[in-house]
Amino acid sequence: MYSKIWLSKPHFETDDLDYFKTTMESNWISTVGPNIASFERSIEDVFNKNLKAVALNSGTSAIHLALKMLHIGAGDEVICQTFTFCATVNPILYCGATPIFIESEQETWNMCPVFLEEAIKDRLKINKKPKAIIVVDSYGMPAKWDELLEISNRYEIPIIEDSAEAFGSEYKGRLCGSFGNYSILSFNGNKIITTSSGGALLCKDEQDKERAIYLSTQAKTTSSLYGEVGFNYRMSNVLASLGIEQLKVLNKRIEQRRDNHTKYHSLVSDLKGVKLQQENSSDFYSNFWLNCIITNNPKISKSALIDEFTKHHIEVRPLWFPLHLQDYLKGSLYYGDNFSETLFEKGLCLPSSSNLTNEEFNRIGDVFNSFKK
Ligand SMILES: *Cc1c(COP(=O)(O)O)cnc(C)c1O
């Protein structure tokens, strides 16, 4: 029997683990210890020290903390991309705020600037100014940042950049994670680098960083006093040790995932009606965290592909089901043209791990080839 090919699996090499072992031996295994600040400095180095990083226990808590940093609370409205993972929107609900969903544009599958502005204008008409905008760099593909930032600046509404999937991706030579007033990264097991679970909040200055650390450590002021409602969101010293090692191979992981993309390009190029998601121009540089295809060929339908891949123990996944259509979010305001419904109907994510082997690629190729007959 074949072993299963996963969509995106963790990638450690055994020499990554020496540091982890030393950390365990030191017994500094809680949310205090030298690795945390060291991991943060290494993240800041990736961004040429233009940003401050706060290491946290997940990407989801990083988004929640970003909303807290912007003082989002009950009754506020927050604009959110609809074509994304539920973790992008749920923290809005944790705050008691209300999400307003924006459709994606066709070139990057991320927030459409036209629908964004339509929504803002519409809410301003009734004096309800949205408090923040959460934009995603979905599957590693950077959003249309020039247009989105222009709108954010003009209407003076801050952006939270969810670049959980886009560490290492670039738009016009600038790294994803540097576009939002606050940005977040995820180091969950399925992301491009991982600390098993984990995340980071990226902010602009030291003052912000200090406040975020304070909020993420129960808002503790002295040994027995607490300043406000805080959170237990700090990354542990053990996981930070994994992060330090993983950061060293980030560039290698990006190369490997981009290499997967090149291979998929040749695998699907002669499949009629099947298109691989690509960078729309040289402005976009994706880490290709996941490779995605859209099929317009009824003989190679999404469900036929899922059936066939599943039969061969290969994990594939539909593209995001639009959030505004999820049962628990139904009735939310939505601005768009239903493009994400088409993406869900016709799209599929393909195995894209950085440790995908040639043999595994051949198995994936065999499934595609069976549709050519
Ligand atoms: C993974 C992910 C998150 C959440 O990160 P966790 O570390 O799993 O909490 C948020 N947004 C997107 C788009 C993600 O893919």
Side-chain angles (χ1 to χ4, degrees), residues 58-61 63 84-85 87-88 136 162 164-165 184 186-188 190-191 198 289 320:
S58 78
T60 310
S61 41
I63 296 174
T84 179
F85 183 46
T88 308
V136 188
D162 178 350
E165 302 169 356
I184 73 100
S186 167
F187 309 116
N188 189 30
N190 64 351
K191 300 304 199 298
W289 173 62
W320 304 122

Side-chain angles (χ1 to χ4, degrees), residues 81 102-105 110-117 148 151:
Q81 187 164 323
I102 307 293
E103 190 51 86
S104 290
E105 35 79 14
N110 293 311
M111 188 177 285
C112 171
V114 177
F115 291 127
L116 170 63
E117 185 165 16
L148 295 168
I151 293 169

